[in-house]
């Protein structure tokens, strides 16, 4: 048993979708979440900047005595996972990409679409991982850079968002001919309603959910599950946006938690 909290982070509020899933799958676990709302989106920034920001956050979460780090962000996983694991070899650091790819391959998908930020698509990490696990798999990818800023602006359930999704997806879905779609950004489960309405035949795979299944497996195998912890979940944001507060209130209404403003040193 290990009652220390799990450190979870994202560039903003998208990673809260992973925390929601964590509470569902592992209700005894406690969380320290960091959303870098002042510097979001990461997906259009350079690899050096993404690595620098992610390192600052993980340094903070490790200093808070977390037992595991869950990178609830595809962009950080694509660009910074290796360097973070090198920096902290003794702490399990889990990224969103490998568990998602494993799930898709295990379900026998042969033609897969991937949508994500520019940085994630530019790294081709999903394509490489999918082909490594299944050399015959067909993969088509599309970057959807306007979705994250719209989510962070609180415009998720609007016609503007539906049009944005359509703008990125219509040709992509028609030309790709796939029936399985990876939501390769942890903000995208928040637009799953639009995707289901516009493309009801697509099967959606959420990277936010798969990373939690992987965390559960590692905690169970290493006898590190929490039980009866008295720690209260803490949410930190580098800019206390109304949307971050509204999203935490909506997702975690029934849990005990505190939200704080915290800027990390440059
Ligand atoms: N949720 C992050 C991801 O999964 C969003 C990236 C961004 O800030 O652009 O990639």
């Amino acid at each position: 048993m290990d009652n220390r909290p799990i450190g979870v982070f994202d560039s903003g509020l998208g990673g809260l979708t992973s925390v929601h899933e964590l509470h569902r799958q592992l209700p005894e676990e406690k969380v320290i979440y960091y959303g870098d709302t002042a510097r979001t989106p990461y997906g259009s920034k350079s690899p050096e900047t993404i690595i620098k920001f992610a390192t600052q956050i993980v340094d903070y979460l490790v200093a808070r005595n977390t037992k595991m780090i869950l990178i609830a962000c595809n962009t950080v996983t694509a660009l910074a996972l290796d360097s973070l694991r090198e920096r902290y070899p003794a702490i399990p650091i889990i990224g969103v990409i490998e568990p998602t790819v494993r799930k898709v391959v295990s379900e026998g998908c042969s033609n897969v679409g991937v949508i994500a930020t520019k940085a994630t698509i530019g790294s081709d990490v999903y394509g490489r991982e999918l082909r490594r696990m299944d050399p015959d798999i067909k993969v088509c990818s599309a970057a959807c850079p306007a979705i994250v800023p719209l989510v962070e602006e609180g415009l998720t359930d609007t016609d503007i968002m539906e049009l944005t999704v359509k703008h990125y997806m219509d040709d992509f879905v028609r030309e790709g001919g796939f029936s399985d779609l990876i939501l390769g950004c942890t903000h995208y489960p928040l637009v799953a309603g639009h995707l289901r309405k516009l493309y009801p035949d697509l099967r959606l795979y959420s990277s936010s959910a798969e990373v939690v299944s992987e965390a559960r497996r590692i905690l169970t195998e290493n006898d590190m599950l929490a039980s009866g912890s008295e720690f209260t979940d803490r949410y930190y944001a580098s800019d206390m946006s109304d949307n971050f507060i509204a999203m935490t209130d909506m997702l975690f209404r029934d849990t005990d938690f505190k939200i704080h403003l915290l800027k990390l040193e440059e």
Side-chain angles (χ1 to χ4, degrees), residues 34-228:
Y34 192 87
D36 202 356
T37 44
R39 303 190 289 196
T40 194
Y42 281 9
S44 307
K45 295 189 167 62
S46 69
E48 297 72 38
T49 301
I50 294 164
I51 291 170
K52 185 175 91 181
F53 290 172
T55 305
Q56 289 169 349
I57 297 171
V58 173
D59 284 354
Y60 173 73
L61 293 173
V62 169
R64 293 292 306 271
N65 196 26
T66 45
K67 63 180 170 184
M68 166 184 269
I69 303 291
L70 213 144
I71 306 177
C73 177
N74 287 264
T75 307
V76 171
T77 304
L79 294 147
L81 177 63
D82 293 344
S83 82
L84 293 170
R85 281 184 174 158
E86 246 169 57
R87 192 171 171 89
Y88 290 109
I91 297 183
I93 301 184
I94 309 177
V96 268
I97 294 172
E98 203 187 309
T100 311
V101 166
R102 215 178 301 127
K103 167 86 174 170
V104 167
V105 170
S106 75
E107 302 224 332
C109 308
S110 57
N111 184 4
V112 179
V114 182
I115 51 171
T117 64
K118 266 193 200 161
T120 303
I121 297 298
S123 72
D124 191 33
V125 60
Y126 268 103
R128 278 187 279 117
E129 279 294 309
L130 283 161
R131 285 188 290 271
R132 190 173 64 79
M133 290 194 202
D134 176 359
D136 296 324
I137 203 160
K138 185 172 170 237
V139 185
C140 341
S141 311
C144 307
I147 293 180
V148 170
L150 287 175
V151 170
E152 294 287 334
E153 279 304 319
L155 296 173
T156 303
D157 296 320
T158 63
D159 294 348
I160 301 171
M161 183 64 94
E162 186 170 320
L163 278 174
T164 306
V165 170
K166 232 172 122 41
H167 164 77
Y168 289 125
M169 296 294 295
D170 267 1
D171 291 350
F172 178 55
V173 171
R174 198 178 45 251
E175 287 160 18
F178 48 80
S179 45
D180 300 292
L181 178 70
I182 294 178
L183 308 184
C185 172
T186 51
H187 284 68
Y188 295 178
L190 298 166
V191 300
H194 294 297
L195 287 164
R196 286 200 193 93
K197 179 176 160 206
L198 294 165
Y199 316 102
D201 297 336
L202 284 184
R203 259 189 310 272
L204 306 181
Y205 290 86
S206 156
S207 52
S208 310
E210 292 315 321
V211 70
V212 175
S213 307
E214 177 75 354
R216 185 172 58 179
R217 187 182 66 75
I218 292 174
L219 292 174
T220 308
E221 277 177 17
N222 293 288
D223 199 15
M224 285 170 73
L225 287 164
S227 172

Side-chain angles (χ1 to χ4, degrees), residues 225-252:
L225 287 164
S227 172
S229 162
E230 287 179 4
F231 187 88
T232 301
D233 284 349
R234 299 215 164 95
Y235 296 88
Y236 295 90
S238 49
D239 184 51
M240 198 60 93
S241 70
D242 292 346
N243 296 321
F244 188 85
I245 297 169
M247 188 65 76
T248 33
D249 282 346
M250 184 191 83
L251 289 175
F252 311 126

